[in-house]
Amino acid sequence: MTADLAVVGAGPAGLTAAATAARLGLDVTLLDAAERPGGQLYRHPAGGPVPRPVRRLVRRLDRVTHLPHHHVWTVVRDGDTWLLHAVAGPDEAPAAVRARAVLLATGAYERQLPFPGWTLPGVVGAGGAQAMLKGGLALPCTGAPPAGTGPGAGGRIVVAGSGPLLLAVATTLAAAGARVPVLVEASGPAAYARHAAALARNPAKLLQGALYGGALLHRTTRLLTRHAVTAAHGTTRLEAVTVTRLDPDWRPVPGTGRRVPCDALAVGHGLVPQLELATGLGCATRRTPDGTPALEVDAEQRTSVPGLWAAGETCGVGGAELAAAEGEIAALSVAGRRPPAAAARRRARLRAFADALAAAHRPGPGWTDWLDGVTEVCRCEEVTAARIRAAVTDLGARDARSVKLLTRAGMGWCQGRTCGPAVARLAGRDPAPDRRPLSCPVPLSQLAQPPGAEK
């Protein structure tokens, strides 16, 4: 059987696109690696309450074939249709879906900038800490599951990095019973002033940020801007962090470091679009204002490859509202409908806001001064900053790929998803778009004889 549309990813963009396309009469198959729809933003535990936006969209999916636990590892052109190969379920069974059109809504993952001690137990990604709580798992500081008055009540968790996600993470952790003594933001208010017009056109977003900030102040969380966690300390696990003032280029200001005791650190510097499926097909990319690659799409969310659409964070990180708007426009386009002018204006307003935030929180070039020689930049292969710098200065490496060949940085389990941006910056380059033939680990048996699909 051939679907009219295959949607990859069941976050806000994919859910909206699938529901819209089905309403317009298309036969839609929705594939997602997770067990439940909602993506990272609307992650929820099994048996727990389903977030309201997900409930609203799921009610419109009665005519959609939803395939959870299906991790699409490649998409190939097969005549006038597309063939999507997936690893399905815990037993990694082979699966394939055939469709006339494909919409990629694969989301994003966290950007991490390494620092001394970032591999200590108790240091987790900011978004990862939030996902643990949303999934009903333990807080990183205690190992105790959410219950009663909150998991790890009294546990001290420092939240640090850069970007609007930090406010939401700190609020979620505090509401779950943790103490958040300080929120450390590398950017400063002046970065927002340069984009005042785009911010002012989105008052609801500003109000949301103010509500988060007010909730944290009520809980006595201290906000430090133009600061960063430049070191983590501990023996068998995290015990404290060093917080240091930064100059405008994000270089540590000498003599400003202070030690903050804590039980855990939730740290992240924004999100990076997940592009492997698209770049493997040759889709054009663009550089976002924070220096990360994202997919280039036209006014109807079409990529540069005919028959392939994209929506959501793959087109540049912008949050659930923008992702849903793009998903709706893409579905209308697939169905041969011209998106209404109001939808286009809404998308443009939200995209301008997202670009303003991206520019305001772009990592400064001086952050690499946080690193001492023994800091592991690539944790999978245990490649230190000193080895990467030596590859650049002594062996002539000029980009992440040549550093990889000389040091093995990026050759481990994550295939450079965690260390890639840092390795590129140490080589003096902005991160290049990920170009991998496979988007996830695949059993060799599936590579030897990938499954087909009925025509």
Side-chain angles (χ1 to χ4, degrees), residues 377-384 387-388 391 399-412 414-417 419-420 422-424 426:
V377 176
C378 173
R379 296 187 294 188
C380 298
E381 295 293 321
E382 300 180 344
V383 181
T384 63
R387 286 179 59 192
I388 294 173
D399 54 29
R401 183 177 182 275
S402 53
V403 169
K404 178 179 181 178
L405 293 173
L406 293 167
T407 68
R408 293 189 58 83
M411 287 190 179
C414 82
Q415 286 293 286
R417 289 176 179 85
C419 67
V423 172
L426 285 169

Side-chain angles (χ1 to χ4, degrees), residues 10 38 120 201 239 304 323 375 405 448 451:
L120 276 171
R201 289 196 296 273
E239 299 170 4
S304 60
T375 301
L405 293 173

Side-chain angles (χ1 to χ4, degrees), residues 17-26 28 60 63-64 328 332 337:
T20 302
R23 176 175 56 83
L24 296 172
L26 298 187
V28 181
R60 297 159 55 190
R63 289 178 291 173
V64 173
E328 180 180 11
L332 288 167
R337 308 286 186 89

Side-chain angles (χ1 to χ4, degrees), residues 233-276:
H233 312 283
T235 50
T236 59
R237 63 168 293 111
L238 181 69
E239 299 170 4
V241 296
T242 294
V243 177
T244 308
R245 176 175 288 279
L246 304 179
D247 70 12
D249 288 329
W250 288 32
R251 290 184 176 85
V253 176
T256 63
R258 68 183 77 175
R259 196 178 178 104
V260 178
C262 60
D263 303 300
L265 168 65
V267 58
H269 290 84
L271 302 172
V272 178
Q274 190 160 329
L275 307 179
E276 296 95 336

